[in-house]
Amino acid sequence: MLDEEYHRDQIADYGTFAQPAIAARMKPAMRKAQLGDLFSVVSVVATVAGLVLYPIFAGSDGQSWAVAALICSVLMLAVTTFQHLAWWRAMVEFTGAKDIDLESWRKASWLVHLVSYLVVAAGIWTYLAALVRSSPDATAYWLLVLGLLTLVVAQVLGGVQYVRVSGPPGTVSNHIRQLIDRQDQRAR
């Protein structure tokens, strides 16, 4: 049978029933979301420690920048925790343990992944502002550097891992579905 002869409804949708192959293929994305969540926790802890030890200079607003950096770390923790929860729900669906409507989770996960870019950009800005107002001789400086690095790693690993109902990019069924959609558009 040629590709043109397949209809969209003849290609199995992911997430409908227990699909061990898809669940196995999605495990790396789930692990990335878990690692992102872990790095977010490290970022928050390092930033809190850096804020507590932050040197106070007369007339310096460095500590307020460190507080803003902590807020960004907490926001990233919220983002990565949501993505982790969304992937956990998706894995429950993919393994067939429970029938869950993933469409609302998919949409929210995609929006949260966009928010993660804003949070990491604001985080980089606030951490750098706090670091410029500190000294490399201070312990707080290196704790804030650790907070910054783990914030970026958390976003790269967990923040951008949005749930995909039709499987991860690159799956054969996803490519076939895209080819059929393109062919249908050309035929119109």
Side-chain angles (χ1 to χ4, degrees):
M1 218 175 189
L2 298 174
D3 284 345
E4 298 84 39
E5 296 174 18
Y6 284 104
H7 298 286
R8 186 168 182 74
D9 57 352
Q10 291 175 315
I11 302 169
D13 284 339
Y14 290 107
T16 305
F17 301 105
Q19 298 182 12
I22 293 304
R25 195 161 169 165
M26 295 298 228
K27 279 186 182 177
M30 172 80 169
R31 276 191 227 111
K32 286 179 186 175
Q34 288 172 330
L35 281 172
D37 212 12
L38 178 67
F39 275 101
S40 287
V41 170
V42 172
S43 178
V44 169
V45 170
T47 306
V48 165
L51 183 60
V52 168
L53 298 173
Y54 199 85
I56 300 172
F57 302 113
S60 174
D61 62 345
Q63 196 166 23
S64 60
W65 282 107
V67 169
L70 176 61
I71 291 169
C72 290
S73 283
V74 170
L75 288 174
M76 186 58 72
L77 178 60
V79 165
T80 58
T81 301
F82 179 84
Q83 297 293 36
H84 184 194
L85 177 63
W87 273 107
W88 179 79
R89 302 282 298 206
M91 290 300 285
V92 167
E93 169 69 20
F94 295 145
T95 58
K98 188 176 179 183
D99 189 27
I100 299 171
D101 180 25
L102 291 179
E103 189 59 26
S104 59
W105 283 95
R106 182 194 65 77
K107 289 177 182 175
S109 179
W110 189 79
L111 288 173
V112 168
H113 119 275
L114 291 180
V115 169
S116 77
Y117 289 106
L118 297 174
V119 172
V120 78
I124 290 170
W125 181 266
T126 57
Y127 274 101
L128 290 178
L131 290 171
V132 164
R133 288 161 178 82
S134 182
S135 167
D137 296 334
T139 305
Y141 179 90
W142 295 105
L143 287 168
L144 289 176
V145 167
L146 177 63
L148 171 61
L149 293 176
T150 53
L151 176 84
V152 172
V153 171
Q155 195 268 343
V156 169
L157 288 176
V160 298
Q161 292 299 323
Y162 63 92
V163 173
R164 301 162 188 93
V165 178
S166 61
T171 60
V172 174
S173 294
N174 190 32
H175 286 302
I176 292 173
R177 220 176 270 115
Q178 289 175 357
L179 289 171
I180 291 171
D181 287 345
R182 281 189 219 135
Q183 191 68 11
D184 287 347
Q185 289 175 358
R186 288 184 200 144
R188 292 181 198 170

